[in-house]
């Protein structure tokens, strides 16, 4: 079947003849005995739940086998700590990984149910904001697929990322409620509950085991486990999410005094911790609840893994031989202090040994260098909420700075200290994570280098071997095989079926780069994907788009550094150009935007408003009607991305160079054969290296040029004067040409640009505009365009999450991967 050395059968294996019959029986049993429903009255949602429960049984078989095997052999395990797991839907991917999609669809069909239809009513598990959370989800699946024993730890939020409505062109946030129909994937583990303390005081001596923290408040963390099955159902990882429960559901004293609100106050305060995901790409304003969330899940996870290790091995000095803890950004940085506390206070280990164990066990991934995104917490808040941890952090800092003073007397201690003394005293969470880890990684080559040169430069001089790079990856199962079945079929035909098991074989597709027949096939596949998207655009935006137009797509969180503003300003310039030369053969384009703005990020919300206002004007102009359309799709999420990406011709990756740590959407688009228009930023650079300069459209300033321009800014008036069309575009926006009923609506937005071009929107405008006109030319020549498309798909296997996981396993975690490596050709 495959060319790889070993290719075990799926753990779940039926004789083909009776497989469908058995699945039908399993689904009907779930419907009857788990849901209490008769098929005659079952609603689509009942069929979905019954189907998921039936599929889950198959996952559990694999899962128990994986878990037992890794326990019995005492294999080293990865614990991935992340405040976010942006899973999306699970049903279709699970079936596909189990190899049960076809049989399940048939079983459902014979029961009178359309599997595709019920799959779309599964709610997205939106327990994340964007790239960081989706990366964690891809990695859980990739660890299952490569055979790395792993447990992901996070929070089981009652409410995930808000839903976005667009009302009169403006974003409205609506609470999300994914658990309203319960979550059929999860197993509640009442027996796995840990006490999490807050506040109180510390007494005793400095000796290990003789110090006592008496918290003032204690909350329970209850585990909920979800198995995540890997490719071909060989192994499964566990996602363990914590829910906060009060120790006492009701205060009897208050209750008996008739104070009903007071009676549940403690409960409400405790359970608030796992109520809602923070939209954390707005400035973290030092909310106490956020710190409580961070400590809550970090402490529960560490108690859990330490207990598991101690129970199995009866000692903790060898923790790093069996456990690798990965911190997904600084949100779980308190793990450094919490592990120290558990080892010293509870297990009586001395400081030096505890530090060695901690450092050898933990590693940290940084996901952004934007200074406003780096977490710091006021010392005063930490002292009040986590007095023992604050002591430990001071202890770590004192020893660390002493060591530096001895070895590098010239070093600048103020920049190295875990405590920032410059604006109030604050704990630098990135410093804590860095000092407590044996490896610290960035998420693209450029980003890892910039880490060394900027934010972490002082720490890098002290620990020159600590920073390493692991460029991000994406799971090809979800983002190619499941999202794009048409392209997958073509890839199987041209590269062999084995491409499913060994994504490296996709490079064989490159042999067809100039093959006309393959181009024709690709066009048909893309057109079908575009029709599917066009239907959603019609439903959600009320706009009819032409599937033969170039679909030009920018989908991601709305942020100034991601420069949706640059895109929409250039769109306006194009609109003007078409109107001034209406008889030129303009390539028809559909500009597609989607993304959420943090609710308190006024500029980002204004940009959404502008896109919608421009859309309203452009889409109703008869002179441009069949050449240009602009749409903003509401409520961007994982499921929408799965429809949009396979339908994209052009992928917009236009961040200000040096600001997008990696990007992962860029990889998804390229793998699906979209051409990238982008800056030399994040992983765009590495995509360009792989597909070749002829197969990507690069524009704009480099990270170095951006740095120089920020140090020595050119007056914006001068930039505008030197840039054709720009003044007109800015004046039109500022003057209300796109907001006739509120002419001043974008005055502030434009004034901001004129005052300071921090994100190089003005500086990069002309370069971007020319790059877009270059794209027009490429699109006009199908032989060129589809060669580029084939080449992108053929050369992006390296961005598989499996490759990324293998790099982590080898270079950071020191764990063997269980399943055979891919072949390289
Ligand atoms: C947070 C903040 C908070 C303050 C305002 C500015 C700002 C900007 C971004 C963020 C998000 C930081 C964490 C994050 O999601 N980073 C993303 O991680 C992805 C996975 O590594 C990576 O591909 C993206 O480039 C990176 O932005």
């Amino acid at each position: 079947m495959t060319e790889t050395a070993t290719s075990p059968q799926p753990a779940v294996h039926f004789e083909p003849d009776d497989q469908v019959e058995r699945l039908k029986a399993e689904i009907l049993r779930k419907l009857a005995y788990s849901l209490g429903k008769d098929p005659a009255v079952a609603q689509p949602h009942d069929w979905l739940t019954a189907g998921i429960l039936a599929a889950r049984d198959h996952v559990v078989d694999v899962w128990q086998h994986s878990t037992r095997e890794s326990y019995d052999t005492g294999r080293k395990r990865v614990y991935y700590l992340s405040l976010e797991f942006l899973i999306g839907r699970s049903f279709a991917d699970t079936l596909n990984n189990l190899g049960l999609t076809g049989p399940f669809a048939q079983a459902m069909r014979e029961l009178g149910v359309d599997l595709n239809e019920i799959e779309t009513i599964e709610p997205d598990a939106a327990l994340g904001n964007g790239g960081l959370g989706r990366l964690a989800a891809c990695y859980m699946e990739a660890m299952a697929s490569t055979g790395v024993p792993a447990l992901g730890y996070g929070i089981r939020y009652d409410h995930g990322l808000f839903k976005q409505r667009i009302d009169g062109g403006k974003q409205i946030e609506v609470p999300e409620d994914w658990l309203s129909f319960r979550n059929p994937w999860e197993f509640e583990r009442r027996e796995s509950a840990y006490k999490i303390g807050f506040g109180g005081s510390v007494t005793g001596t400095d000796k290990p085991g003789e110090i006592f923290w008496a918290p003032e408040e204690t909350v329970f963390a209850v585990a909920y486990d979800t198995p995540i099955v890997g490719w071909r159902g060989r192994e499964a990882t566990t996602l363990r999410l914590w829910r906060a429960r009060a120790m006492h559901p009701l205060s009897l004293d208050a209750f008996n005094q008739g104070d009903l609100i007071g009676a549940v106050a403690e409960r409400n305060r405790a359970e608030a911790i796992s109520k809602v995901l923070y939209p954390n790409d707005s400035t973290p304003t030092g909310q106490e609840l956020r710190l409580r969330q961070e400590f809550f899940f970090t402490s529960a996870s560490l108690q859990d893994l330490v207990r598991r290790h101690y129970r199995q091995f009866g000692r903790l000095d060898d923790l790093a031989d069996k456990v690798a803890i990965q911190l997904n950004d600084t949100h779980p940085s308190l793990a450094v202090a919490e592990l120290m506390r558990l080892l010293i206070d509870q297990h009586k280990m001395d400081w030096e040994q505890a530090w060695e164990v901690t450092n050898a066990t933990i590693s940290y991934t940084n996901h952004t260098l934007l200074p406003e995104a780096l977490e710091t917490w006021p010392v005063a808040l930490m002292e009040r909420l986590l007095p023992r941890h604050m002591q430990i952090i001071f202890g770590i800092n004192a020893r660390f700075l002493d060591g530096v003073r001895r070895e590098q007397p010239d070093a600048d201690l103020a920049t190295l200290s875990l405590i920032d003394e410059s604006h109030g005293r604050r704990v630098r969470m990135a410093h804590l994570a860095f000092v407590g880890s044996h490896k610290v990684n960035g998420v693209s080559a450029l980003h890892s280098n910039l880490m060394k040169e900027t934010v972490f430069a002082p720490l890098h001089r002290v620990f020159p071997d600590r920073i390493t790079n692991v460029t991000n990856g994406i799971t090809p199962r979800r983002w190619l095989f499941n999202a794009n079945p048409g392209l997958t079929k073509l890839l199987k035909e041209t590269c062999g079926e084995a491409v499913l098991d060994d994504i490296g074989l996709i490079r064989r597709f490159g042999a067809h780069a100039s093959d006309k027949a393959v181009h024709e096939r690709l066009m048909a596949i893309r057109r079908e994907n575009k029709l599917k998207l066009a239907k959603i655009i019609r439903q959600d935006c009320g706009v009819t788009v032409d599937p033969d137009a170039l679909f030009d797509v920018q989908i991601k969180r709305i942020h100034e550094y991601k420069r949706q503003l640059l895109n929409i300003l250039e769109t306006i310039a194009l609109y003007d150009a078409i109107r001034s030369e209406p008889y030129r053969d303009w390539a028809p384009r559909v500009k597609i935007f989607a993304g959420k703005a943090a609710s308190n990020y006024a500029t980002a919300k204004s940009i959404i408003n502008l896109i919608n206002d421009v859309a309203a004007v452009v889409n109703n102009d008869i002179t441009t009607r069949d050449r240009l359309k602009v749409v903003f799709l509401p409520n961007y999420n994982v499921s929408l991305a799965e429809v949009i990406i396979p339908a994209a011709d052009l992928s917009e990756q236009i961040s200000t160079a040096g600001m997008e740590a990696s990007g992962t959407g860029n990889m998804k688009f390229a793998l699906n054969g979209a051409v990238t228009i982008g800056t030399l930023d994040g992983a765009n650079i590495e995509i360009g290296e792989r597909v070749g300069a002829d197969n990507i459209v690069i524009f704009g300033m480099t990270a170095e040029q951006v740095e120089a321009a920020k140090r020595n800014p050119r007056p914006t008036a001068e930039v505008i004067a030197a840039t054709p069309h720009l003044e007109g575009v800015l004046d039109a926006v500022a003057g209300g040409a796109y907001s006739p009923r509120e002419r001043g609506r974008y005055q502030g937005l434009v004034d901001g640009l004129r005052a300071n071009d921090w994100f190089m929107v003005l500086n990069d405008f002309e370069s971007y505009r020319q790059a877009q006109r270059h794209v027009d030319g490429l699109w006009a020549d199908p032989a060129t365009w589809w060669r580029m498309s084939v080449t992108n798909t053929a050369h992006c296997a390296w961005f598989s999450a499996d490759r990324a996981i293998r790099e982590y396993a080898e270079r950071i975690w020191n764990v063997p991967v269980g399943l055979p490596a891919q072949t390289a050709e």
Side-chain angles (χ1 to χ4, degrees):
M1 183 181 60
T2 74
E3 299 172 3
T4 40
T6 48
S7 179
Q9 288 298 308
V12 189
H13 185 70
F14 294 129
E15 290 309 311
D17 296 345
D18 60 12
Q19 190 179 30
V20 170
E21 286 309 314
R22 287 180 61 170
L23 287 173
K24 274 162 67 182
E26 290 172 22
I27 295 164
L28 288 172
R29 280 186 71 84
K30 295 296 179 190
L31 200 61
Y33 299 116
S34 300
L35 302 174
K37 280 273 175 126
D38 187 299
V41 299
Q43 300 295 304
H45 203 277
D46 299 318
W47 288 110
L48 171 68
T49 307
I52 288 175
L53 291 174
R56 191 183 70 167
D57 284 356
H58 293 261
V59 178
V60 167
D61 291 337
V62 178
W63 188 34
Q64 293 194 331
H65 181 265
S66 285
T67 310
R68 207 174 302 127
E69 197 257 3
S70 92
Y71 186 85
D72 289 347
T73 55
R75 279 176 68 187
K76 186 167 180 177
R77 203 191 290 226
V78 175
Y79 294 90
Y80 198 87
L81 269 63
S82 180
L83 212 39
E84 305 191 7
F85 288 91
L86 188 41
I87 303 279
R89 292 182 182 136
S90 293
F91 194 22
D93 283 62
T94 298
L95 289 180
N96 207 47
N97 275 4
L98 289 170
L100 290 177
T101 305
F104 234 86
Q106 196 182 331
M108 284 287 189
R109 204 177 307 122
E110 292 180 15
L111 293 168
V113 178
D114 181 342
L115 178 63
N116 283 322
E117 231 161 73
I118 61 165
E119 278 172 356
T120 64
I121 58 177
E122 182 182 6
D124 269 46
L127 310 184
N129 275 282
L132 170 153
R134 182 55 232 175
L135 189 78
C138 279
Y139 283 178
M140 289 308 297
E141 194 268 357
M143 288 191 278
S145 292
T146 51
V148 172
L151 220 137
Y153 281 123
I155 293 181
R156 179 182 176 278
Y157 302 105
D158 291 348
H159 305 284
L161 188 64
F162 66 85
K163 287 192 168 175
Q164 178 195 57
R165 297 239 167 85
I166 300 296
D167 191 355
K170 293 185 160 63
Q171 167 174 299
I172 308 286
E173 302 90 28
V174 181
E176 188 280 340
D177 201 16
W178 69 299
L179 295 172
S180 62
F181 279 91
R182 317 172 77 113
N183 172 10
W185 293 107
E186 70 188 7
F187 294 93
E188 183 179 347
R189 308 287 193 206
R190 297 231 170 200
E191 72 286 4
S192 289
Y194 295 90
K195 288 183 183 173
I196 313 299
F198 293 98
S201 54
V202 180
T203 52
T205 75
D206 238 0
K207 285 213 199 91
E210 290 182 16
I211 201 157
F212 302 100
W213 172 31
E216 173 196 297
E217 184 191 350
T218 305
V219 174
F220 268 132
V222 180
Y224 287 71
D225 288 347
T226 299
I228 296 177
V229 69
W231 180 236
R232 298 246 186 245
R234 294 183 190 116
E235 300 211 20
T237 52
T238 304
L239 180 58
R240 172 162 277 198
L241 301 180
W242 301 104
R243 179 183 188 191
R245 306 305 315 255
M247 299 267 287
H248 311 290
L250 209 63
S251 154
L252 266 187
D253 274 356
F255 186 79
N256 288 337
Q257 286 165 29
D259 175 10
L260 297 188
I261 301 293
V264 295
E266 180 208 330
R267 175 168 176 179
N268 288 339
R269 180 173 159 76
E271 298 183 358
I273 293 175
S274 57
K275 268 279 165 308
V276 55
L277 167 79
Y278 268 95
N280 78 334
D281 68 350
S282 58
T283 320
T285 41
Q287 298 97 334
E288 181 172 333
L289 182 58
R290 170 77 174 191
L291 183 58
R292 283 164 67 87
Q293 287 188 336
E294 293 185 354
F295 180 65
F296 167 79
F297 103 101
T298 301
S299 175
S301 308
L302 279 151
Q303 290 186 55
D304 192 42
L305 73 86
V306 166
R307 182 169 84 169
R308 182 176 303 121
H309 181 90
Y310 193 75
R311 227 204 261 139
Q312 190 174 359
F313 301 103
R315 51 195 277 196
L316 288 166
D317 57 335
D318 64 345
L319 188 72
D321 299 340
K322 300 294 178 190
V323 167
I325 297 173
Q326 189 68 33
L327 308 181
N328 198 26
D329 217 293
T330 55
H331 317 143
S333 281
L334 284 166
V336 174
E338 176 69 351
L339 184 52
M340 289 293 282
R341 184 184 73 89
L342 294 173
L343 295 175
I344 296 170
D345 297 2
Q346 299 199 344
H347 292 271
K348 303 185 171 42
M349 201 180 273
D350 66 51
W351 181 286
E352 279 64 35
Q353 188 176 18
W355 184 243
E356 229 172 78
V357 170
T358 297
N359 191 260
T361 306
I362 294 180
S363 44
Y364 152 58
T365 307
N366 173 277
H367 295 270
T368 180
L369 295 173
L370 300 182
E372 67 271 33
L374 293 175
E375 273 193 304
T376 62
W377 291 105
V379 168
L381 173 62
M382 291 265 271
E383 271 172 337
R384 178 161 58 77
L385 213 60
L386 301 165
R388 178 60 183 138
H389 296 80
M390 196 59 245
Q391 282 183 347
I392 291 172
I393 291 168
F394 282 136
I396 294 170
N397 199 35
R399 287 168 176 85
F400 163 55
L401 295 179
D402 276 350
V404 175
R405 230 178 261 120
R406 271 196 310 274
E407 280 163 38
Q408 302 186 10
D410 300 336
D412 176 10
L413 297 184
T415 59
L416 287 166
S417 175
L418 305 193
I419 312 295
D420 180 357
E421 313 268 355
S422 61
H423 18 4
R425 300 182 77 207
R426 304 178 72 95
V427 182
R428 294 170 165 148
M429 301 307 271
H431 280 49
L432 175 61
F434 192 110
V435 170
S437 296
H438 61 283
K439 286 286 170 194
V440 175
N441 77 287
V443 289
S444 73
L446 174 69
H447 168 64
S448 297
N449 285 332
L450 291 174
M451 282 173 70
K452 297 178 188 172
E453 291 165 15
T454 63
V455 178
F456 295 102
L459 287 164
H460 175 59
R461 279 192 287 277
V462 178
F463 303 107
D465 301 327
R466 195 157 291 187
I467 295 180
T468 181
N469 175 248
V470 182
T471 298
N472 284 165
I474 57 165
T475 168
R477 273 75 62 181
R478 179 179 292 257
W479 295 109
L480 178 59
F481 305 153
N482 294 347
N484 201 342
L487 179 55
T488 302
K489 180 163 177 284
L490 179 59
L491 290 170
K492 284 195 280 186
E493 289 170 27
T494 51
C495 308
E497 288 269 339
V499 72
L500 298 179
D501 297 280
D502 182 354
I503 191 71
L505 298 179
I506 206 170
R507 76 192 56 194
R508 291 177 180 169
F509 195 47
H512 304 275
S514 301
D515 177 341
K516 255 198 124 194
V518 164
H519 290 184
E520 297 288 333
R521 289 280 303 277
L522 270 181
M523 280 182 235
I525 292 161
R526 180 74 52 79
R527 194 169 195 283
E528 199 174 310
N529 296 340
K530 287 161 86 170
L531 281 170
K532 197 171 154 198
L533 177 57
K535 198 170 153 202
I536 294 178
I537 293 174
R538 201 169 321 115
Q539 278 166 7
D540 291 0
C541 306
V543 178
T544 302
V545 299
D546 173 8
D548 296 318
L550 187 162
F551 277 24
D552 169 341
V553 181
Q554 187 172 20
I555 51 171
K556 51 184 79 233
R557 289 302 289 255
I558 311 294
H559 204 290
E560 287 163 281
Y561 86 79
K562 295 178 187 281
R563 298 201 296 188
Q564 285 92 355
L565 185 54
L566 174 61
N567 187 344
I568 196 68
L569 293 178
E570 194 282 322
T571 303
I572 293 171
L574 174 61
Y575 174 56
D576 291 343
I578 299 175
R579 283 187 304 165
S580 58
E581 285 184 86
Y583 300 109
R584 245 183 71 178
D585 58 342
W586 297 98
R589 270 201 200 222
V590 183
K591 282 269 176 187
I592 298 168
F593 295 85
K596 294 175 181 175
S599 53
N600 58 355
Y601 190 172
T603 306
K605 289 179 123 177
S606 178
I607 292 169
I608 291 178
N609 202 173
L610 177 60
I611 294 169
N612 281 297
D613 281 348
V614 170
V617 171
V618 169
N619 297 342
N620 291 307
D621 187 329
I622 49 167
T623 55
T624 54
R625 201 164 52 187
D626 45 5
R627 261 77 62 85
L628 184 61
K629 285 276 185 310
V630 179
V631 295
F632 187 97
L633 278 161
N635 200 37
Y636 180 56
N637 61 13
V638 172
S639 296
L640 190 55
E642 288 167 11
V643 181
I644 297 175
I645 291 168
D649 297 305
L650 186 65
S651 157
E652 299 268 356
Q653 307 300 337
I654 60 176
S655 51
T656 315
M659 294 198 180
E660 188 70 273
S662 163
T664 44
N666 47 3
M667 302 168 187
K668 295 164 195 168
F669 280 105
L671 190 60
N672 278 279
V675 171
T676 302
I677 182 168
T679 46
L680 287 172
D681 199 14
N684 297 349
I685 296 172
E686 289 156 86
I687 292 174
E689 285 166 4
R690 283 175 176 81
V691 305
D694 290 348
N695 298 299
I696 187 166
V697 179
I698 296 293
F699 73 94
M701 302 167 82
T702 63
E704 271 182 19
Q705 291 167 337
V706 170
E707 246 336 279
K710 278 190 191 167
R711 271 197 306 271
N712 189 10
R714 200 173 150 206
T716 56
E718 199 183 300
V719 176
I720 295 167
T723 308
H725 316 294
L726 188 50
E727 182 74 70
V729 170
L730 294 177
D731 282 349
V733 173
Y738 298 92
S739 52
R741 285 192 297 184
E742 188 191 342
R743 294 213 159 256
R745 183 176 285 174
Y746 301 111
Q747 187 70 57
L749 191 65
V750 175
D751 285 350
L753 277 180
R754 292 188 197 270
N756 178 345
D757 192 21
W758 189 253
F759 299 99
M760 307 294 148
V761 170
L762 307 177
N763 275 280
D764 269 347
F765 183 87
E766 180 57 13
S767 171
Y768 179 56
R769 199 185 63 81
Q770 285 181 13
Q772 286 289 18
R773 301 293 71 82
H774 180 60
V775 168
D776 289 342
L778 297 170
W779 177 252
D781 174 15
T784 301
W785 188 270
W786 295 99
R787 181 210 74 217
M788 294 176 80
S789 177
V790 170
T791 310
N792 271 268
T793 297
H795 293 285
C796 282
W798 189 80
F799 297 100
S800 165
D802 299 0
R803 183 273 314 157
I805 287 301
R806 288 198 168 88
E807 289 191 19
Y808 277 99
E810 232 170 77
R811 305 213 319 270
I812 297 178
W813 301 330
N814 190 25
V815 300
V817 291
L819 295 168
Q822 296 166 344
T823 58
E825 286 199 340

